[in-house]
Amino acid sequence: RMDARTRMAGIAAGTFAAMVGGYILWSIGTNERIEGDVEEKKESHWEKEDDYLGVEDLKVKFSISENAKIVGLKNNGNTCFLNSTLQALASLRSFHYFLHKLLQLAPRLTLARELQIVIRGETNDALKVHKIIAQKVNRFEGYNQEDAHELLTCLLSSIQTDVAIVKQRLRRFPVEDFKSITEGKTYDSKASSSRCAPVLPVTGSMASTKLCMYCGYTPPVKLSRFWSITLPLTRSPKDNRGGLNAVRLLGRYSNPEA
């Protein structure tokens, strides 16, 4: 016969084992539900992302008409700051090619599409570009005079955000899965080399470092990207020969500072 203590110990051990087993089963079920919810959220996010970008088409050829001209843009209020910025970008063949490559990979990018229409001279009204930028940056709502440099920064930042989204999808769909997302279209393996997100042609790199004048220690060189730099147009005593030019201003900008 088991005494009362032995029976109580057995009951306690059985109860504990049942609780542990129930907790494990509950934990497994909860984790499965959580993982399922996460996967559903990922799928939903990817669907929205694909709808935003569109189905890539690498067969679209790049071309600029030999007779293409930069047309005058309509001034919708005080939007000369926008028009002058777009005219400057339109003069860059590399920017035309950048938009072409980006729209190959993501045909539904509205900002890139409307920019392409404007800089190709297919319209003389940049109103749609203005509205898209205003939706992204509230300060450009309306038709007030704004700073062209600030607009350029916001414009390039918005484009760079779209490029980052394209890069995410390229990582999600490697080359071997490319055919499955082109809805059965003919796949040319040579096109795989074109499946790289383009780089903004106005992107520059700047290297900087420091030097200790006492011990000569130099820390590692730091690299940073930039889309624009500010060059002061004031003359210095060393500018006694000739006028100011970009080379001289850049040289002054990169001179060591003590």
Side-chain angles (χ1 to χ4, degrees), residues 11-32:
I11 292 172
T15 302
F16 178 75
M19 292 176 61
V20 171
Y23 175 78
I24 292 174
L25 292 175
W26 174 83
S27 178
I28 292 174
T30 302
N31 289 337
E32 289 178 351

Side-chain angles (χ1 to χ4, degrees), residues 193-214:
S193 59
S194 300
R195 297 193 71 242
C196 296
V199 178
L200 271 169
V202 294
T203 303
S205 295
M206 184 181 301
S208 61
T209 187
K210 298 179 181 179
L211 172 64
C212 179
M213 303 299 293
Y214 295 98

Side-chain angles (χ1 to χ4, degrees), residues 47-104:
E47 288 176 2
K48 291 180 180 179
E49 184 179 281
D50 292 338
D51 184 62
Y52 177 73
L53 299 176
V55 178
E56 58 189 86
D57 186 0
L58 302 181
K59 291 186 177 181
V60 179
K61 301 298 182 182
F62 173 71
S63 63
I64 297 180
S65 174
E66 295 296 333
N67 298 323
K69 296 181 180 179
I70 301 177
V71 300
L73 296 176
K74 186 183 298 184
N75 191 10
N76 299 304
N78 296 319
T79 56
C80 53
F81 69 98
L82 170 66
N83 294 345
S84 60
T85 301
L86 296 180
Q87 294 282 17
L89 292 174
S91 66
L92 301 175
R93 183 180 178 85
S94 58
F95 191 73
H96 285 261
Y97 187 69
F98 164 80
L99 290 178
H100 166 76
K101 296 297 296 181
L102 184 59
L103 289 169
Q104 271 191 326

Side-chain angles (χ1 to χ4, degrees), residues 38-50:
V38 171
E39 289 299 324
E40 287 182 4
K41 288 181 180 179
K42 284 184 179 179
E43 291 296 332
S44 176
H45 172 74
W46 290 341
E47 288 176 2
K48 291 180 180 179
E49 184 179 281
D50 292 338

Side-chain angles (χ1 to χ4, degrees), residues 179-248:
K179 187 175 181 179
S180 64
I181 65 170
T182 55
E183 299 177 353
K185 296 178 182 179
T186 303
Y187 170 59
D188 182 4
S189 59
K190 294 181 180 179
S192 62
S193 59
S194 300
R195 297 193 71 242
C196 296
V199 178
L200 271 169
V202 294
T203 303
S205 295
M206 184 181 301
S208 61
T209 187
K210 298 179 181 179
L211 172 64
C212 179
M213 303 299 293
Y214 295 98
C215 66
Y217 171 73
T218 302
V221 175
K222 293 183 179 180
L223 295 176
S224 58
R225 288 189 175 186
F226 64 89
W227 294 324
S228 63
I229 55 177
T230 301
L231 300 176
L233 297 179
T234 56
R235 297 178 65 88
S236 70
K238 296 181 180 180
D239 298 326
N240 53 0
R241 294 183 181 181
L244 296 176
N245 56 50
V247 175
R248 182 170 292 179

Side-chain angles (χ1 to χ4, degrees), residues 139-168:
R139 66 166 301 170
F140 293 110
E141 291 181 351
Y143 303 98
N144 297 323
Q145 179 66 43
E146 299 290 349
D147 185 76
H149 179 258
E150 292 180 0
L151 171 77
L152 176 63
T153 301
C154 292
L155 176 62
L156 297 179
S157 178
S158 297
I159 295 174
Q160 187 60 40
T161 299
D162 286 341
V163 171
I165 298 174
V166 171
K167 287 182 178 179
Q168 288 178 359

